[in-house]
Short mmCIF file of all heavy atoms in Angstrom, two decimals:
data_model
loop_
_atom_site.label_atom_id
_atom_site.label_comp_id
_atom_site.label_asym_id
_atom_site.label_seq_id
_atom_site.Cartn_x
_atom_site.Cartn_y
_atom_site.Cartn_z
N ALA A 303 -61.27 47.94 -87.69
CA ALA A 303 -61.71 47.00 -86.67
C ALA A 303 -60.98 45.66 -86.77
O ALA A 303 -60.86 44.94 -85.78
CB ALA A 303 -63.22 46.78 -86.78
N GLY A 304 -60.51 45.31 -87.96
CA GLY A 304 -59.82 44.04 -88.14
C GLY A 304 -58.52 43.98 -87.37
O GLY A 304 -58.16 42.94 -86.80
N THR A 305 -57.80 45.09 -87.32
CA THR A 305 -56.53 45.14 -86.59
C THR A 305 -56.66 45.87 -85.26
O THR A 305 -55.69 45.94 -84.50
CB THR A 305 -55.47 45.87 -87.44
OG1 THR A 305 -55.91 47.21 -87.70
CG2 THR A 305 -55.24 45.14 -88.75
N ALA A 306 -57.86 46.42 -84.99
CA ALA A 306 -58.12 47.19 -83.77
C ALA A 306 -57.13 48.34 -83.62
O ALA A 306 -56.61 48.59 -82.53
CB ALA A 306 -58.07 46.28 -82.54
N GLN A 307 -56.89 49.04 -84.73
CA GLN A 307 -55.94 50.15 -84.71
C GLN A 307 -56.51 51.37 -85.43
O GLN A 307 -57.29 51.24 -86.39
CB GLN A 307 -54.62 49.75 -85.38
CG GLN A 307 -53.83 48.71 -84.63
CD GLN A 307 -52.51 48.39 -85.31
OE1 GLN A 307 -52.30 48.74 -86.46
NE2 GLN A 307 -51.61 47.75 -84.59
N MET A 308 -56.09 52.54 -84.97
CA MET A 308 -56.39 53.77 -85.68
C MET A 308 -55.43 53.89 -86.86
O MET A 308 -54.22 53.81 -86.70
CB MET A 308 -56.23 54.98 -84.77
CG MET A 308 -57.20 55.07 -83.61
SD MET A 308 -58.94 55.19 -84.11
CE MET A 308 -58.92 56.65 -85.19
N LEU A 309 -55.96 54.08 -88.05
CA LEU A 309 -55.13 54.28 -89.23
C LEU A 309 -54.71 55.74 -89.36
O LEU A 309 -53.70 56.06 -89.99
CB LEU A 309 -55.89 53.84 -90.49
CG LEU A 309 -56.34 52.38 -90.50
CD1 LEU A 309 -57.05 52.07 -91.81
CD2 LEU A 309 -55.17 51.44 -90.29
N SER A 310 -55.52 56.62 -88.77
CA SER A 310 -55.20 58.04 -88.75
C SER A 310 -56.01 58.70 -87.66
O SER A 310 -57.04 58.18 -87.23
CB SER A 310 -55.49 58.71 -90.10
OG SER A 310 -56.89 58.69 -90.35
N LEU A 311 -55.53 59.85 -87.19
CA LEU A 311 -56.23 60.58 -86.13
C LEU A 311 -55.89 62.06 -86.25
O LEU A 311 -54.72 62.42 -86.39
CB LEU A 311 -55.80 60.05 -84.76
CG LEU A 311 -56.54 60.56 -83.52
CD1 LEU A 311 -56.42 59.55 -82.38
CD2 LEU A 311 -56.00 61.90 -83.06
N ARG A 312 -56.92 62.87 -86.21
CA ARG A 312 -56.75 64.32 -86.19
C ARG A 312 -57.52 64.87 -85.00
O ARG A 312 -58.69 64.53 -84.80
CB ARG A 312 -57.27 64.96 -87.49
CG ARG A 312 -56.47 64.54 -88.73
CD ARG A 312 -55.07 65.12 -88.69
NE ARG A 312 -54.29 64.79 -89.87
CZ ARG A 312 -53.52 63.72 -89.99
NH1 ARG A 312 -53.45 62.85 -88.99
NH2 ARG A 312 -52.84 63.50 -91.09
N SER A 313 -56.88 65.70 -84.19
CA SER A 313 -57.52 66.20 -82.98
C SER A 313 -57.01 67.60 -82.65
O SER A 313 -55.81 67.87 -82.82
CB SER A 313 -57.23 65.25 -81.81
OG SER A 313 -57.83 65.70 -80.62
N GLU A 314 -57.92 68.45 -82.19
CA GLU A 314 -57.54 69.81 -81.82
C GLU A 314 -58.47 70.29 -80.72
O GLU A 314 -59.69 70.14 -80.79
CB GLU A 314 -57.64 70.74 -83.02
CG GLU A 314 -57.16 72.16 -82.74
CD GLU A 314 -57.20 73.04 -83.97
OE1 GLU A 314 -57.32 72.50 -85.09
OE2 GLU A 314 -57.13 74.28 -83.81
N THR A 315 -57.88 70.86 -79.66
CA THR A 315 -58.68 71.43 -78.58
C THR A 315 -59.06 72.85 -78.98
O THR A 315 -58.20 73.72 -79.12
CB THR A 315 -57.89 71.46 -77.26
OG1 THR A 315 -57.50 70.12 -76.93
CG2 THR A 315 -58.73 72.02 -76.13
N ILE A 316 -60.36 73.06 -79.16
CA ILE A 316 -60.83 74.36 -79.67
C ILE A 316 -61.87 75.01 -78.77
O ILE A 316 -62.13 76.20 -78.89
CB ILE A 316 -61.40 74.22 -81.09
CG1 ILE A 316 -62.58 73.23 -81.08
CG2 ILE A 316 -60.33 73.77 -82.06
CD1 ILE A 316 -63.32 73.18 -82.40
N GLY A 317 -62.50 74.25 -77.89
CA GLY A 317 -63.55 74.80 -77.04
C GLY A 317 -64.85 74.97 -77.80
O GLY A 317 -65.85 74.31 -77.54
N LYS A 318 -64.85 75.85 -78.79
CA LYS A 318 -66.01 76.08 -79.64
C LYS A 318 -65.57 76.09 -81.09
O LYS A 318 -64.38 76.14 -81.39
CB LYS A 318 -66.68 77.41 -79.29
CG LYS A 318 -67.21 77.50 -77.86
CD LYS A 318 -67.85 78.86 -77.61
CE LYS A 318 -68.38 78.95 -76.19
NZ LYS A 318 -68.99 80.29 -75.91
N GLY A 319 -66.54 76.06 -81.99
CA GLY A 319 -66.23 76.14 -83.41
C GLY A 319 -66.02 74.80 -84.07
O GLY A 319 -65.35 74.71 -85.11
N HIS A 320 -66.59 73.72 -83.52
CA HIS A 320 -66.44 72.39 -84.10
C HIS A 320 -66.92 72.34 -85.55
O HIS A 320 -66.30 71.70 -86.39
CB HIS A 320 -67.22 71.37 -83.28
CG HIS A 320 -66.74 71.19 -81.88
ND1 HIS A 320 -67.03 72.08 -80.87
CD2 HIS A 320 -65.95 70.23 -81.31
CE1 HIS A 320 -66.48 71.67 -79.74
NE2 HIS A 320 -65.81 70.55 -79.98
N ALA A 321 -68.01 73.01 -85.83
CA ALA A 321 -68.60 72.93 -87.16
C ALA A 321 -67.68 73.48 -88.23
O ALA A 321 -67.71 73.02 -89.38
CB ALA A 321 -69.93 73.70 -87.20
N GLU A 322 -66.84 74.43 -87.87
CA GLU A 322 -65.95 75.05 -88.85
C GLU A 322 -64.77 74.17 -89.22
O GLU A 322 -64.31 74.20 -90.38
CB GLU A 322 -65.43 76.40 -88.32
CG GLU A 322 -66.46 77.52 -88.30
CD GLU A 322 -67.49 77.37 -87.21
OE1 GLU A 322 -67.22 76.66 -86.22
OE2 GLU A 322 -68.59 77.96 -87.34
N ILE A 323 -64.25 73.39 -88.29
CA ILE A 323 -63.04 72.62 -88.59
C ILE A 323 -63.27 71.13 -88.79
O ILE A 323 -62.40 70.44 -89.33
CB ILE A 323 -61.97 72.83 -87.50
CG1 ILE A 323 -62.35 72.09 -86.20
CG2 ILE A 323 -61.73 74.29 -87.24
CD1 ILE A 323 -61.22 72.05 -85.21
N LEU A 324 -64.42 70.60 -88.37
CA LEU A 324 -64.64 69.16 -88.47
C LEU A 324 -64.61 68.63 -89.90
O LEU A 324 -63.98 67.59 -90.16
CB LEU A 324 -65.96 68.78 -87.78
CG LEU A 324 -66.29 67.29 -87.75
CD1 LEU A 324 -65.18 66.50 -87.05
CD2 LEU A 324 -67.64 67.05 -87.06
N PRO A 325 -65.24 69.29 -90.87
CA PRO A 325 -65.18 68.75 -92.25
C PRO A 325 -63.76 68.60 -92.77
O PRO A 325 -63.41 67.55 -93.34
CB PRO A 325 -65.98 69.78 -93.06
CG PRO A 325 -66.90 70.40 -92.06
CD PRO A 325 -66.12 70.47 -90.79
N GLY A 326 -62.92 69.61 -92.57
CA GLY A 326 -61.54 69.53 -93.03
C GLY A 326 -60.76 68.48 -92.28
O GLY A 326 -59.88 67.81 -92.83
N MET A 327 -61.07 68.31 -91.00
CA MET A 327 -60.39 67.32 -90.18
C MET A 327 -60.70 65.91 -90.68
O MET A 327 -59.82 65.04 -90.74
CB MET A 327 -60.82 67.49 -88.72
CG MET A 327 -60.05 66.66 -87.72
SD MET A 327 -60.47 67.13 -86.02
CE MET A 327 -59.58 68.68 -85.86
N ILE A 328 -61.96 65.67 -91.06
CA ILE A 328 -62.36 64.37 -91.59
C ILE A 328 -61.65 64.10 -92.91
O ILE A 328 -61.14 63.00 -93.16
CB ILE A 328 -63.89 64.32 -91.77
CG1 ILE A 328 -64.59 64.31 -90.41
CG2 ILE A 328 -64.30 63.09 -92.59
CD1 ILE A 328 -66.10 64.45 -90.48
N GLU A 329 -61.59 65.11 -93.76
CA GLU A 329 -60.91 64.96 -95.04
C GLU A 329 -59.43 64.64 -94.84
O GLU A 329 -58.86 63.77 -95.51
CB GLU A 329 -61.07 66.24 -95.86
CG GLU A 329 -60.44 66.16 -97.25
CD GLU A 329 -60.68 67.42 -98.06
OE1 GLU A 329 -61.48 68.27 -97.61
OE2 GLU A 329 -60.05 67.56 -99.13
#
Side-chain angles (χ1 to χ4, degrees):
T305 61
Q307 292 182 345
M308 295 298 304
L309 301 181
S310 66
L311 188 156
R312 295 292 182 269
S313 180
E314 184 177 345
T315 301
I316 59 172
K318 298 180 180 179
H320 296 79
E322 287 73 21
I323 73 169
L324 183 58
M327 189 171 285
I328 291 172
E329 182 177 350

